[in-house]
Amino acid sequence: MSETGICPLCEQQLSELLSTTDRHGRPLRTIICRGCGLVRIDPMPDSGSLNDFYSHDYRLQYKGAWHPRPKHVYRDTRGAIMRARRLLEIYRPGMKVLDIGCGGGFFLHLLRSLSIDASGLEPNRGYADFARNELGIDSIFTGTLHEYAPDNRFDIVTINHVFEHLPDPLAALARMRGLLKDDGAIIMEIPNIESTSHAPNRIFHYGHLYWYNPITIHALLQKAGFGIADMAVARGNEHINLVIRLQPETEATALGILRGMLIGNYHRVRAIRDRHTRLRHYLSRAPYRRILGKCLQYSREFLATWRARSPRAIADRVCQAAIPELRRRILTGAEAAKHKSL
Ligand SMILES: [Zn+2]
């Protein structure tokens, strides 16, 4: 057992080694807290080296490019449509939206095509410049969440596969609280430490500083004074999708209550991770389904992009096909809200 720092969730010093390598076989210590089941990398990098990593290296290391490649433009725009469907469940005309970690700006591009007032925040200069120059999005701040100081607050803040990259999740939630109107909502998607869709040696990497399951993310949000309006675990990849709102009472949940919520969670997470051996994984259907899915995805991406004139043309074509359906969702939502208020 290693005693390396206090757990930010249960505030106990009870960590134990979970993994010693990253998904590429390079050394990376990942620990699990015996007090609550929160998983994190150890030691936690300092914010200076993380800022350098995200402003320069991250996308290059993660996607192998300074700018989104055509296949990423296509993939991310399709992902943006799925995200827009979730957003439109709570969006009402006139609301202001902020996307934290907006990458190449495909989600913003889609929202702006729907006449939604949407801004973004992206620490990586290459991707932020791409969004500005290729997609013409001028409402992007290049920098970190803590450097961002907009004039107005937002009705909806979205944070998609970004929260797990933040070194101080409670400080990040406090910052997000300051960006949000009192009746606003956060839409968050994060990976799930309970997922068995990847091989057990292909999970951890330097970018993901924390790994949550539905129980630890729930407790962390409560600790920060937020409540969960909706939580769903996606089929297949088991990602956790959340709609989060401020608690009516501004008091954050007391530590003793949180520790009570977390009893047994360490054993749950440890058992899931220990059961998911490489042998079990390759004897299951998951890896073969994944390979087949990837083959179909790569072929579709190649066919959709190989003759495209520009990244913008790819994004526009994918967006245009979805816009009539998304517009109907805005109208249906507005109608439902009108009936509710009558
Ligand atoms: Zn803990």
Side-chain angles (χ1 to χ4, degrees):
M1 188 186 295
S2 75
E3 298 281 334
T4 48
I6 302 276
C7 167
L9 179 54
C10 71
E11 299 181 20
Q12 298 178 91
Q13 201 169 3
L14 294 169
S15 57
E16 163 182 297
L17 196 60
L18 187 64
S19 166
T20 55
T21 53
D22 74 359
R23 60 174 66 162
H24 305 292
R26 294 179 296 221
L28 178 75
R29 273 173 59 86
T30 303
I31 57 175
I32 180 167
C33 173
R34 290 175 61 89
C36 68
L38 181 65
V39 172
R40 64 192 199 270
I41 74 166
D42 176 70
M44 192 57 64
D46 62 75
S47 52
S49 53
L50 278 172
N51 288 348
D52 270 0
F53 177 65
Y54 284 110
S55 60
H56 301 290
D57 302 338
Y58 167 62
R59 302 274 178 187
L60 197 61
Q61 214 182 87
Y62 204 64
K63 302 226 174 178
W66 278 109
H67 297 291
R69 292 175 170 171
K71 66 177 181 183
H72 296 139
V73 175
Y74 179 77
R75 193 182 305 170
D76 290 356
T77 308
R78 281 171 59 97
I81 294 167
M82 304 293 289
R83 293 179 60 196
R85 288 188 185 125
R86 284 203 290 274
L87 178 118
L88 295 180
E89 286 175 18
I90 59 169
Y91 173 84
R92 297 295 169 258
M95 285 184 168
K96 286 183 188 302
V97 179
L98 171 70
D99 189 28
I100 296 176
C102 64
F106 306 106
F107 184 52
L108 295 179
H109 182 58
L110 175 61
L111 296 187
R112 290 161 72 100
S113 307
L114 292 163
S115 311
I116 293 176
D117 181 343
S119 307
L121 170 72
E122 172 56 43
N124 185 274
R125 279 179 221 147
Y127 269 58
D129 287 346
F130 174 92
R132 270 189 216 102
N133 302 333
E134 296 287 335
L135 301 178
I137 301 171
D138 49 10
S139 57
I140 291 188
F141 172 78
T142 312
T144 67
L145 181 57
H146 295 278
E147 292 163 345
Y148 184 52
D151 297 330
N152 56 286
R153 293 197 292 163
F154 297 89
D155 300 280
I156 303 176
V157 170
T158 59
I159 178 161
N160 192 59
H161 288 268
V162 170
F163 190 67
E164 66 276 13
H165 295 261
L166 304 177
D168 186 342
L170 286 166
L173 286 168
R175 185 73 202 97
M176 286 158 73
R177 189 187 184 119
L179 295 171
L180 204 62
K181 291 182 182 172
D182 291 343
D183 59 351
I186 300 172
I187 299 179
M188 180 188 284
E189 183 171 324
I190 49 173
N192 184 351
I193 189 61
E194 297 186 1
S195 169
T196 53
S197 63
H198 285 81
N201 58 322
R202 302 281 300 162
I203 297 174
F204 301 108
H205 69 97
Y206 179 79
H208 287 194
L209 305 178
Y210 291 91
W211 288 87
Y212 303 93
N213 74 341
I215 297 168
T216 46
I217 190 67
H218 186 187
L220 186 84
L221 291 167
Q222 288 221 333
K223 186 171 184 176
F226 286 97
I228 292 178
D230 188 44
M231 169 153 54
V233 173
R235 286 180 63 174
N237 56 31
E238 296 174 68
H239 292 158
I240 307 172
N241 288 284
L242 299 140
V243 178
I244 302 156
R245 291 188 186 275
L246 283 170
Q247 305 265 47
E249 66 279 21
T250 48
E251 288 289 304
T253 307
L255 191 57
I257 297 174
L258 281 179
R259 286 185 184 163
M261 283 171 64
L262 292 158
I263 287 174
N265 194 46
Y266 154 74
H267 292 287
R268 174 191 166 107
V269 176
R270 183 88 228 194
I272 290 170
R273 293 277 37 113
D274 287 350
R275 253 197 329 265
H276 186 218
T277 61
R278 286 173 78 169
L279 180 65
R280 279 219 172 100
H281 184 74
Y282 288 108
L283 287 176
S284 76
R285 266 187 275 170
Y288 311 103
R289 218 185 282 149
R290 195 176 151 76
I291 290 167
L292 181 65
K294 287 277 172 202
C295 288
L296 294 172
Q297 179 191 335
Y298 293 154
S299 322
R300 198 171 50 221
E301 287 171 355
F302 175 76
L303 289 172
T305 58
W306 75 289
R307 291 179 68 182
R309 279 176 289 115
S310 65
R312 171 79 186 243
I314 299 170
D316 281 344
R317 201 177 58 236
V318 180
C319 282
Q320 289 310 320
I323 278 177
E325 173 226 319
L326 296 173
R327 279 201 199 287
R328 275 196 301 278
R329 286 176 189 256
I330 296 178
L331 289 173
T332 315
E335 276 298 305
K338 209 165 111 191
H339 281 291
K340 224 171 160 182
S341 64
L342 286 177

